[in-house]
Amino acid sequence: MQDIFGQVTTLSNPAALEHWNKTQLAFLAHGATTPTHLAATLDAAPDFALGHAVKAMFYVLLGRAETTETAHEALVTAQQCAKVTPVSPREQSFLTAVATWMSGQSRDALKSFETNLATNPTDMLAVKLDHALRFVLGDSRGMRRMLEQVMPAYGTDHAGYGYLMGCHAFALEETGDYAAAQIAGRKGMLISPDDAWGLHAVAHVHDMTADAAGGIKWLAGRENAWAHCHNFRYHVWWHKALMHLDLGEIDVVMDLYDTEIRKDHTDDYRDISNATSLLSRLELDGVDVGDRWEELAEISSHRTEDGCLIFADLHYMLALVGGKRDDAITTMMGRLHRDAKMGQTDVQRAMAAPGLSAAAGLEAFGEAQYDVAFVNLARARATIRDAGGSHAQRDVFERLTIDSGIRAGFLDEAADILAQRMALRGGTEDGYTAVRRQMIAEGRAAAGFASSVPAE
């Protein structure tokens, strides 16, 4: 039977196919109903190998140590089902991808998706999973290359076309083509108005072009595009908060933090990253965030041995530093060193670089050792993309690097990094850049004045 994207599946039960189509569409839209539809699919077709493989992938993407066993069980079930009911090469590619991914060689897993898409370019499920994994790996160039290879095969009548445009918009934004990204994202939203990913890709464009007011206008009235989402909805609210922060509207930012971003005190690493990076930005701007670090630090203190993703670990570290959990920080640093020394998996290699330097820099910043913080954070910049995430998410580390440089008196070095940051953003100056340029100018003036005062 063919699914909604025209892909042949081993399903023979019409009810199972209907649930499977709903699963795929919900996944593309980051819908909260995705696991419900997948569970219904597997209830109707318990021998559906591809469904079990995708379940394993979903659990791996959660980036949590305690979900690894569930993911492994789903993979084993998928492999057993494939032995009983032979699967197509296309479906087998998903099983191979997740098995490779779970073995610790996540970059090699991309080869399975690439092989499949070379033959089945309109397999939108494979496109979205490839996109998701490249996001985790920080591979924006590969993300764009993959999408532009398959796009000629899509017509506007393809059920996944709008979501494809949303993915392309994000890839264009992450590779610096902001004008094209905005066009693609808006086009995708017209076709698939529930595509929160495409909507958020346009929000990224506004962030990267210092158009906070335009970004707020873009999101206003489109809340239904992300209200249906799982925890991704917190992330879109986070973007809105960043825009208000750039405009200096601190009361609005704090209200969004309390009523939307941390409305539910979840322990998902993506939600923790939203919260910690926003609180860090606020504190760098001199805002008293009260006791908001405490609940984040408490959650993060139980994740020190997790080691699933360096992106997650660095945000746990932000929480531990903000909450002054010295013992947990020591534990986290010890585990990072052990993982980095092993260096057998892609995750462990990322723990080594940029992980160790970035984490040491965050620890030093929390201890007001700004010279040590700057040296370590500046060293991590060379490979920080490998931590995964987006430019907007990694910007918190860029800001901490610049601020530590200014505080330590490395004014020229901080100015260079600030200029590089602005160049990445199309040469536009946001509120953060304007304030730091002024701080550097004042620091240089003070240094010049001090050097001109004769010794007594």
Side-chain angles (χ1 to χ4, degrees):
M1 299 178 71
Q2 284 191 351
D3 68 13
I4 195 170
F5 302 131
Q7 304 301 314
V8 177
T9 75
T10 54
L11 290 171
S12 58
N13 180 336
L17 181 64
E18 181 181 357
H19 291 308
W20 178 237
N21 287 335
K22 289 180 178 179
T23 300
Q24 294 184 88
L25 289 172
F27 174 55
L28 295 182
H30 293 252
T33 59
T34 304
T36 302
H37 293 310
L38 180 56
T41 302
L42 295 176
D43 283 344
D47 60 345
F48 184 35
L50 176 57
H52 290 289
V54 168
K55 178 181 177 179
M57 290 183 185
F58 288 171
Y59 274 101
V60 173
L61 284 169
L62 291 176
R64 303 167 62 93
E66 64 267 29
T67 63
T68 302
E69 183 59 32
T70 305
H72 178 72
E73 291 172 358
L75 172 59
V76 170
T77 301
Q79 293 168 334
Q80 292 172 341
C81 289
K83 291 179 181 178
V84 176
T85 305
V87 297
S88 66
R90 168 187 167 261
E91 291 179 312
Q92 181 60 47
S93 71
F94 286 84
L95 274 69
T96 302
V98 70
T100 305
W101 190 344
M102 292 185 66
S103 73
Q105 307 309 315
S106 47
R107 295 185 185 278
D108 287 343
L110 293 170
K111 296 176 183 177
S112 294
F113 289 127
E114 291 170 353
T115 299
N116 173 31
L117 290 170
T119 307
N120 306 290
T122 57
D123 184 354
M124 194 59 208
L125 177 61
V127 168
K128 186 68 173 181
L129 284 168
D130 181 280
H131 189 76
L133 179 53
R134 291 184 192 276
F135 175 77
V136 170
L137 296 173
D139 182 18
S140 57
R141 295 182 183 88
M143 183 187 291
R144 179 173 177 176
R145 182 183 65 253
M146 179 276 294
L147 288 164
E148 293 178 351
Q149 285 173 347
V150 303
M151 285 179 68
Y154 286 73
T156 55
D157 60 340
H158 187 281
Y161 185 74
Y163 303 107
L164 180 71
M165 289 296 99
C167 289
H168 192 218
F170 184 77
L172 288 166
E173 177 274 319
E174 287 296 295
T175 52
D177 198 341
Y178 302 128
Q182 182 147 195
I183 292 170
R186 289 175 178 271
K187 180 179 179 180
M189 286 292 295
L190 290 174
I191 300 168
S192 301
D194 65 345
D195 182 19
W197 188 256
L199 171 129
H200 123 284
V202 176
H204 270 267
V205 172
H206 287 287
D207 179 87
M208 296 299 289
T209 56
D211 183 17
I216 293 169
K217 184 178 179 181
W218 164 249
L219 293 176
R222 291 186 168 88
E223 290 80 6
N224 285 340
W226 74 86
H228 68 282
C229 291
H230 45 55
N231 64 319
F232 189 67
R233 68 186 185 274
Y234 305 129
H235 184 66
V236 183
W237 286 116
W238 174 80
H239 273 283
K240 191 172 188 297
L242 293 187
M243 296 166 185
H244 287 288
L245 177 62
D246 196 58
L247 296 176
E249 298 168 353
I250 304 303
D251 289 345
V252 178
V253 176
M254 301 302 276
D255 182 65
L256 285 172
Y257 182 94
D258 293 332
T259 63
E260 300 292 353
I261 297 167
R262 288 306 285 171
K263 175 183 178 181
D264 306 307
H265 290 178
T266 65
D267 63 352
D268 189 293
Y269 83 87
R270 294 162 294 191
D271 306 336
I272 298 297
S273 74
N274 295 330
T276 56
S277 64
L278 182 55
L279 292 187
S280 294
R281 286 170 167 87
L282 285 163
E283 288 195 335
L284 289 178
D285 286 351
V287 178
D288 182 355
V289 301
D291 62 356
R292 290 176 177 84
W293 280 115
E294 185 55 32
E295 64 103 1
L296 301 173
E298 179 60 24
I299 291 171
S300 298
S301 68
H302 298 290
R303 313 301 303 184
T304 56
E305 297 290 346
D306 213 65
C308 288
L309 293 170
I310 188 57
F311 181 87
D313 282 345
L314 292 178
H315 287 88
Y316 295 145
M317 181 63 83
L318 279 176
L320 298 176
V321 169
K324 303 185 187 309
R325 300 293 184 96
D326 293 342
D327 290 345
I329 290 171
T330 299
T331 301
M332 173 75 83
M333 290 302 301
R335 202 218 76 236
L336 285 172
H337 277 281
R338 291 195 304 274
D339 287 353
K341 187 175 181 179
M342 291 177 66
Q344 297 175 350
T345 67
D346 288 333
V347 169
Q348 290 168 347
R349 286 185 279 273
M351 297 292 176
L356 284 177
S357 293
L362 298 179
E363 180 183 16
F365 193 95
E367 296 173 349
Q369 296 178 355
Y370 300 119
D371 53 346
V372 177
F374 178 75
V375 169
N376 280 282
L377 289 169
R379 182 184 298 121
R381 288 184 74 242
T383 54
I384 194 65
R385 186 188 297 268
D386 292 340
S390 65
H391 289 307
Q393 290 175 309
R394 294 188 299 268
D395 189 50
V396 67
F397 306 117
E398 193 83 328
R399 293 184 184 215
L400 285 162
T401 306
I402 293 166
D403 274 46
S404 61
I406 294 173
R407 297 183 190 192
F410 298 126
L411 301 180
D412 291 343
E413 293 85 348
D416 286 344
I417 297 173
L418 190 63
Q420 293 169 32
R421 178 182 180 275
M422 192 166 80
L424 178 66
R425 295 165 174 268
T428 53
E429 183 177 83
D430 59 4
Y432 175 83
T433 300
V435 171
R436 269 54 186 185
R437 288 179 68 178
Q438 182 62 31
M439 290 169 65
I440 291 170
E442 292 173 355
R444 284 170 169 165
F449 174 78
S451 64
S452 66
V453 176
E456 294 183 1

